[in-house]
Amino acid sequence: MTDLLHNLNPKQQEAVLATHGPVLVLAGAGSGKTKALTHRIAYMIQEKNIKPWNILAVTFTNKAAQEMKNRVIKLLKKDDELESETDLPTMGTFHSICVRMLRKNIHLLGYENSFTIYDTADQQILVKQILKELHIDEKQTNPRAILHYISGAKNELITPHQYSTQFATNFFTERVAEVYEKYQAKLQKSNALDFDDIIMKTVELFQNHKNVLDFFQEKFQFISVDEYQDTNHAQYVLTNMLAEKYRNLCVIGDSDQSIYSFRGANISNILNFEKDYPDAKTILLEQNYRSSQNILDAAHNIIVKNAKRKDKKLWTEREGGEKITLRTLENERDEGEFIAQNILEKLKTHETPDHRDFVILYRTNAQSRVLEEVFLRYGIPYKIVGGIRFYERKEIKDLVAYLRLIQNPNDSVSLLRIINTPARKIGPKTLEVLQQYSLQNGYSMFQSMEEIVAAAEPKKSHQSSSNLAADFDVAADVNIAPPDFNEEFFAEPTPIQQTPTAPRPDISNLDLAGTKIEALKKFVELIKKLQKVNKEFPASGVIKHVLEYTGYKQMVDDNTAEGDARVENIYELVGVSSKYNELEPGQSLSIFLEEISLIADIDSVSEQDNAVTFMTIHSAKGLEFPTVFLAGLEEGIFPHSRSLLERDELEEERRLMYVAITRAKDKLFMTHAKSRMLYGEMQSSAPSQFLADIAEELLDQLEPQQKYRSLSTTEIGNSPIPTEYADTSLSPGFSDGDKVFHQSFGDGVVVSVKGGVATVCFKDPRHGIKKLALSIAPLRKVE
């Protein structure tokens, strides 16, 4: 037996020896797939005498590509001397490999080979220019949303012409079609590609120039693709075009870990591989080298309910193991306390505490806020991966800057952060004039603005009645009690800062156009209006007014996944501020800002390397930890409320749960709260339906498990969805699993009906799960 096979199990050896023809390696979590893949590449070179330059190995991240390269180099070492780069296979990400192909051949598509790759900021600037040329208001048609749709089209290899003729079916998609065509033309004129173009243009190159395709088919006669379940349509087409001639294609992946559909990943690519290649050899890697058998059995209990999967079951030589701890807590703060106390208890047995052994996983970033506050209070070091600390996220820092400026207009740092966020046409030149004026006269930036506005327009005008009506509508829109509709509320408030007694300086020599002074005037009036709001409302009400009066909410809510996350974080800030609602207006905001400032002051503790890791489950894929805490296992959070309306989305949530469980090596804790403040509202939620799937003998819980109902996803749409109690008595007219519409809350699904009260999970996360009296609720069924 060659040394390359010596330390491999029989299935890994089988994968290494399958060097020719199509091969599908279904590698479960922790089954040593990277080891099998790199040994396979080395075996082809050393034992099969396949030329390294005829081998292509593709993966998804630069880190994974470098790890693959390092392992192959180590396996191919001779006499402790590394092989030269020219003697190594081509290994890298889809995008890095395609860029190398395009650098030598893109002139065939009308570009210069020295093309530029635009980043997200460049793309947004370009789209804004196009919107301006088309006379489209970017406030009505958000540039980020347009780019999101264009990206989706490119991932499906849909050209501007195809999009215009086949997909422009409503007002918004018609605008996307207009912009998409001009966007591609301007990219080419600038000799630039965006990130999605890299794959799309490579496919176009192969389709239009067969000689180029022939060259790369000859060059790459043996192809391996890692994480194949994460490929999108464009990557799928590219891979099959390259492999078409020699058919030596080995794909490695796990259909049970396909969790990136929101990025365009298509699970059908791996599920249908044997249809694409009927002669494919399929190898299952089922031996797990990471987790105890109890953890693997719990993961299998979850994933076996999915219909779209390749059947396999992980096993390990580590029989048994600790039971999974399941706890029900009263609220999210008790959940954080439980996690922190268990970590401290475990660390007592360590002479040198290693916080890196622990990870806390959650479904959405908004869940981290309470956990951060609890850990700061306990002095437990932590770090956030796949995101930034809650109070350091841009949208949170922006809103806090507004609040600080409302409370203290002399805070020029906060003013400079938000004066042009959202855009107000107050540019660097205007700010430079203001800063110089402030220095010369000893004023704060805001005082300088007041002075300039007052000098330019000595007489203050009253706000028009039409604006009063608009402000009243805003208050209603943000779902808060509107202020009394009277002139006093909307009148100019008394400035907090006293007008300087010294004579006002002459501003005639300032280089400020009338339009710039008008922009400054509007900003001053905005802050003064919000100062008046602060005298009428507690902190949460002030934040809601800031969101609407400034246009900040409209700016971040751009119908993209990133925009949705930002909105969720904003509502989480509203939620945490609501605990100060009992304080007097003014004092409420002051105490709130003081407390979050104290948290920010000691955030540096989380920068230590030896720290507990916080991350979303999506960010955790590919990682492992001795102890895992899986928090927030409640209906509407995990699985996410949106998934309850679509079978495929619920299956992806199950795969996400499977990924979360299989991150644990030795110990897994799972928690859910009876009630939780999330997205600005207190929610009472049923435990996650996934808990019903786990066999009771695998669990350690204080009370016997409730009899949750849990159904296979194949039943969704035809049968009731999982509900909290199996013995629910139903009221006539509505049943578990009914899709419904509420005139205020929108689309939802009936979770349970009991005693004339329906528990409904709404798609909009701001509403979450609500209990409604069927006798009066404006609820109707939808098909």
Side-chain angles (χ1 to χ4, degrees), residues 67-83:
E67 173 68 16
M68 186 191 304
K69 185 176 181 180
N70 292 341
R71 291 200 193 190
V72 170
I73 289 174
K74 186 175 181 179
L75 291 169
L76 294 176
K77 280 192 339 184
K78 294 178 181 177
D79 300 325
D80 294 327
E81 299 228 355
L82 293 178
E83 297 291 318

Side-chain angles (χ1 to χ4, degrees), residues 416-431:
L416 286 171
R417 180 180 181 90
I418 50 83
I419 192 170
N420 217 34
T421 305
R424 298 186 176 90
K425 298 181 180 180
I426 303 174
K429 184 178 179 181
T430 304
L431 292 176

Side-chain angles (χ1 to χ4, degrees), residues 38 118 124 149 153 198 362 391 395 406 432 501 530 535 619 643 742:
T38 52
Y118 275 3
Q124 290 187 22
Y149 276 74
I198 294 171
Y362 35 76
Y391 291 108
E395 59 274 15
I406 291 166
E432 184 178 343
T501 55
L530 289 169
K535 295 179 180 179
S619 300
S643 71
H742 189 284

Side-chain angles (χ1 to χ4, degrees), residues 101-115 191 193 201 205:
M101 295 177 179
L102 292 172
R103 286 294 180 198
K104 293 187 177 181
N105 298 281
I106 200 170
H107 61 276
L108 298 172
L109 300 179
Y111 291 75
E112 295 179 19
N113 293 340
S114 58
F115 60 84
N191 193 39
L193 305 179
K201 289 299 177 183
L205 180 68

Side-chain angles (χ1 to χ4, degrees), residues 352-619:
T352 305
D354 196 344
H355 297 86
R356 289 166 292 197
D357 288 347
F358 303 92
V359 66
I360 304 174
L361 302 179
Y362 35 76
R363 179 63 179 83
T364 65
N365 274 312
Q367 291 171 251
S368 74
R369 191 265 310 164
V370 171
L371 294 169
E372 291 180 61
E373 293 180 357
V374 171
F375 272 57
L376 288 168
R377 187 157 52 79
Y378 275 90
I380 303 175
Y382 70 91
K383 62 181 178 181
I384 294 183
V385 176
I388 56 177
R389 290 185 297 275
F390 182 82
Y391 291 108
E392 290 188 4
R393 292 172 181 136
K394 181 183 184 304
E395 59 274 15
I396 301 303
K397 290 179 75 69
D398 286 347
L399 288 175
V400 169
Y402 271 111
L403 299 178
R404 286 173 174 163
L405 189 62
I406 291 166
Q407 185 191 40
N408 175 21
N410 285 334
D411 186 348
S412 294
V413 172
S414 293
L415 183 147
L416 286 171
R417 180 180 181 90
I418 50 83
I419 192 170
N420 217 34
T421 305
R424 298 186 176 90
K425 298 181 180 180
I426 303 174
K429 184 178 179 181
T430 304
L431 292 176
E432 184 178 343
V433 172
L434 278 173
Q435 288 176 315
Q436 187 63 32
Y437 184 87
S438 300
L439 287 171
Q440 290 175 349
N441 295 282
Y443 295 160
S444 70
M445 291 280 287
F446 191 80
Q447 285 176 320
S448 295
M449 294 169 70
E450 286 182 299
E451 289 295 304
I452 292 170
V453 168
E457 188 177 329
K459 294 183 178 180
K460 296 181 179 179
S461 59
H462 291 287
Q463 197 171 12
S464 69
S465 59
S466 62
N467 286 337
L468 296 179
D471 285 339
F472 185 81
D473 290 340
V474 163
D477 288 343
V478 296
N479 196 27
I480 56 178
D484 291 337
F485 189 74
N486 54 44
E487 288 287 336
E488 181 181 355
F489 178 82
F490 295 100
E492 288 286 337
T494 303
I496 292 178
Q497 301 299 323
Q498 295 298 318
T499 303
T501 55
R504 291 176 178 173
D506 182 13
I507 67 167
S508 60
N509 61 340
L510 294 181
D511 185 17
L512 285 178
T515 55
K516 299 304 179 184
I517 294 178
E518 184 64 24
L520 295 178
K521 176 186 175 185
K522 289 181 179 178
F523 182 78
V524 169
E525 290 175 346
L526 170 68
I527 299 304
K528 288 184 175 181
K529 184 191 294 186
L530 289 169
Q531 288 175 338
K532 190 71 173 179
V533 168
N534 188 35
K535 295 179 180 179
E536 302 285 338
F537 291 91
S540 62
V542 176
I543 296 173
K544 291 177 180 179
H545 277 85
V546 167
L547 288 171
E548 295 300 331
Y549 285 173
T550 65
Y552 195 90
K553 180 174 178 292
Q554 292 85 343
M555 182 186 77
V556 300
D557 192 3
D558 57 9
N559 296 318
T560 67
E562 293 81 3
D564 290 345
R566 284 189 285 269
V567 171
E568 288 179 358
N569 288 331
I570 286 170
Y571 279 105
E572 183 68 5
L573 183 70
V574 175
V576 69
S577 68
S578 64
K579 72 178 183 180
Y580 304 93
N581 282 356
E582 299 302 316
L583 298 176
E584 291 292 324
Q587 184 187 28
S588 174
L589 180 62
S590 178
I591 299 298
F592 170 62
L593 289 174
E594 179 182 326
E595 290 205 9
I596 64 174
S597 294
L598 291 174
I599 291 174
D601 286 341
I602 57 175
D603 261 352
S604 57
V605 69
S606 65
E607 299 299 325
Q608 301 177 38
D609 290 332
N610 186 12
V612 177
T613 303
F614 291 10
M615 63 172 65
T616 63
I617 303 167
H618 282 100
S619 300

